[in-house]
Amino acid sequence: MSEKELYLIQSKHPQSLDGIDIKTTHETLFCAHPAEFHIVGESHAVSVPALPFYEIFSCQPVRTEQPPDTTLNTIELCVNTQLTTVHTLGDEHTSIQTTVRIEPLESFPDARSFTIVYKFDTDAYTAINCLSQREYRTYHTYPEHDLTVISCHQICSASNIEPRDMIEASTQW
């Protein structure tokens, strides 16, 4: 893992999972379309081909040049860092708003409360909670840095996006 950065890639184009260690997968509906949520050796990946929406959140830098309509954000790995971004989906009328917040390790909720979870090592987890067909949250713990990275992803109308803090500090979901 990079000592200081995480990478959030969101695209209308499939992201290759070749060579990525997929630990576990959960299939469900997201925005009324089949979706796959993966916990991977580098963090998580989401695929909703019908939207189209593809996401990789990783501690590894981008491996290849990205196609147009791809949003790439770099997030500094330190407590109280926050990022809010909006990625327009394929129909140009729908977006996904993502808020990422980095908190102390102890803010990680009980591991039994998630839709999908994988324990890598002592206190090292990646977990995803599919809250509805319009919202999911992810949790990544980094015990070596005493940090939990929380992301909230919510579908919204592209014309009705309100900048807002979707994640409150130390909120247990």
Side-chain angles (χ1 to χ4, degrees):
M1 155 178 164
S2 165
E3 290 297 314
K4 301 187 185 205
E5 296 177 326
L6 298 173
Y7 307 92
L8 175 63
I9 304 163
Q10 296 175 318
S11 182
K12 296 176 185 177
H13 308 282
Q15 299 291 302
S16 175
L17 298 180
D18 292 343
I20 294 179
D21 181 16
I22 298 175
K23 301 296 187 183
T24 187
T25 298
H26 177 73
E27 295 179 3
T28 190
L29 294 179
F30 186 66
C31 210
H33 300 292
E36 290 184 342
F37 291 82
H38 308 281
I39 294 177
V40 300
E42 298 165 346
S43 289
H44 81 259
V46 177
S47 300
V48 191
L51 288 179
F53 177 68
Y54 301 90
E55 172 179 270
I56 294 179
F57 194 43
S58 177
C59 49
Q60 298 296 319
V62 176
R63 295 184 185 132
T64 61
E65 187 173 316
Q66 295 296 313
D69 302 321
T70 298
T71 305
L72 172 62
N73 289 283
T74 303
I75 301 150
E76 185 180 359
L77 190 59
C78 67
V79 74
N80 295 324
T81 295
Q82 184 165 321
L83 166 82
T84 299
T85 185
V86 176
H87 178 77
T88 303
L89 299 175
D91 67 4
E92 304 297 325
H93 300 291
T94 309
S95 294
I96 187 157
Q97 181 173 340
T98 301
T99 299
V100 179
R101 182 171 180 86
I102 301 178
E103 296 188 4
L105 184 63
E106 64 267 8
S107 64
F108 181 69
D110 183 345
R112 294 174 292 182
S113 65
F114 297 106
T115 305
I116 180 175
V117 64
Y118 187 85
K119 183 176 182 178
F120 292 90
D121 202 352
T122 304
D123 293 327
Y125 292 90
T126 294
I128 302 171
N129 202 0
C130 297
L131 298 173
S132 72
Q133 284 197 32
R134 301 185 69 78
E135 181 178 2
Y136 64 94
R137 294 193 179 156
T138 72
Y139 301 80
H140 307 274
T141 62
Y142 296 95
E144 68 274 24
H145 298 291
D146 197 33
L147 298 173
T148 298
V149 178
I150 304 167
S151 67
C152 179
H153 312 258
Q154 189 172 53
I155 294 286
C156 50
S157 164
S159 62
N160 189 24
I161 296 172
E162 299 176 21
R164 61 187 173 104
D165 181 12
M166 296 183 345
I167 302 175
E168 295 177 12
S170 300
T171 301
Q172 301 291 316
W173 294 301

